[in-house]
Amino acid sequence: MDIILLGPPGAGKGTQAQRLVEAHGMRQLSTGDMLRAAVKAGTAVGLQAKAVMDRGELVSDEIVSALIGEELDAMAAGQGAIFDGYPRTAAQAESLDAILSARGRSLNHVIELGVDEDALVERICGRFTCANCGKGYHDKFEQPKVAGTCDRCGSHEFKRRPDDNEETVRTRMAEYRAKTAPILPIYDARGIVSRVNGMADIDDVTAAIEQVIRG
Ligand code: ADP
Ligand code: ADP
Ligand code: ZN
């Protein structure tokens, strides 16, 4: 099963993708995570992407589609993919169709997480992750069970993203409205879009997504 989680920055895509990975052994393909890894490693892609990401604008379609193709090729046959933060433009949606069909795969669901824009700044400015295993947290909405200790791996080190500040978030939201929201009709026409209320509690969002997947 291959699914897209679609929604603006802070909608909960990464949080829900991590839960699907744990529950179903699917693989999370986050172009944001791939790009941040490239920046950290100082690769040619990372050098090109860094300034664009710091501004909250979109990295080129060619770069992200190439990353997705490479990750899919590294997956076990039969393992489902969760696309998180990709596709973000009509050109990427078109590339994804070609990338999937070349590998004998196809999309089963596009799950749109609907959220109030007012809530997104608070979500993003309170977001942090475990520096060791990448588990996501929030200052107010998803704190570690033991303060300062990662629930999943026990690490005491956490990190915050440089682009998770109010100014950049506004640009990222504008990019979402202008370039990403318009791809929904493509998938609507195929009858594969399900809308989930992303303003609900994290567990309730997970339950709604599970219902979509079970069909
Ligand atoms: P969020 O989870 O807050 O939506 P991401 O981690 O998905 O953010 O993306 C962070 C940044 O990485 C984006 O602002 C953009 O610069 C870049 N990026 C990630 N995915 C894509 C993509 N599919 N196309 C273009 N740029 C991307
Ligand atoms: P995205 O990947 O769509 O940018 P995240 O999954 O990283 O979003 O979520 C952004 C922040 O909001 C994280 O700190 C996360 O813990 C928190 N969060 C996610 N879903 C919810 C929710 N339903 N209610 C409250 N906070 C949430
Ligand atoms: Zn951890």
Side-chain angles (χ1 to χ4, degrees):
M1 164 150 334
D2 288 342
I3 67 174
I4 295 175
L5 293 180
L6 199 70
K13 304 180 296 293
T15 301
Q16 299 301 329
Q18 288 187 347
R19 287 169 168 227
L20 289 170
V21 166
E22 275 164 33
H24 301 290
M26 297 174 79
R27 178 131 158 187
Q28 176 186 10
L29 286 91
S30 157
T31 40
D33 287 347
M34 293 172 205
L35 290 166
R36 281 184 288 279
V39 169
K40 196 173 170 199
T43 65
V45 162
L47 292 174
Q48 233 181 307
K50 187 179 184 316
V52 180
M53 294 171 76
D54 285 343
R55 288 197 301 271
E57 294 168 9
L58 293 184
V59 173
S60 82
D61 294 330
E62 291 71 24
I63 287 181
V64 292
S65 292
L67 290 171
I68 285 286
E70 285 165 25
E71 286 278 317
L72 276 173
D73 288 335
M75 282 172 57
Q79 188 180 25
I82 308 154
F83 297 101
D84 160 11
Y86 178 93
R88 261 176 156 93
T89 64
Q92 291 178 25
E94 221 173 280
S95 295
L96 180 59
D97 283 338
I99 287 167
L100 290 175
S101 69
R103 290 162 179 80
R105 314 178 69 115
S106 66
L107 286 172
N108 299 84
H109 298 285
V110 175
I111 299 175
E112 185 200 8
L113 296 173
V115 279
D116 300 342
E117 277 209 4
D118 305 339
L120 297 180
V121 171
E122 186 186 21
R123 281 206 193 168
I124 289 194
C125 295
R127 166 161 69 183
F128 63 98
T129 55
C130 172
N132 177 51
C133 75
K135 176 165 175 16
Y137 294 97
H138 190 278
D139 290 327
K140 194 161 137 193
F141 305 123
E142 199 183 11
Q143 297 168 343
K145 291 190 180 73
V146 177
T149 304
C150 176
D151 296 349
R152 188 156 75 189
C153 77
S155 166
H156 301 298
E157 263 186 75
F158 298 89
K159 60 183 181 186
R160 288 176 195 263
R161 283 167 45 177
D163 60 338
D164 278 351
N165 58 75
E166 183 158 357
E167 196 195 328
T168 309
V169 170
R170 302 271 175 214
T171 307
R172 285 155 61 197
M173 281 192 221
E175 290 281 71
Y176 180 82
R177 269 195 303 271
K179 298 172 184 162
T180 309
I183 70 181
L184 263 164
I186 302 174
Y187 297 120
D188 251 334
R190 293 185 207 166
I192 57 171
V193 177
S194 298
R195 292 189 165 77
V196 163
N197 175 18
M199 293 306 295
D201 286 348
I202 296 178
D203 287 343
D204 295 334
V205 177
T206 304
I209 291 174
E210 288 291 344
Q211 209 163 18
V212 170
I213 289 175
R214 279 196 302 269

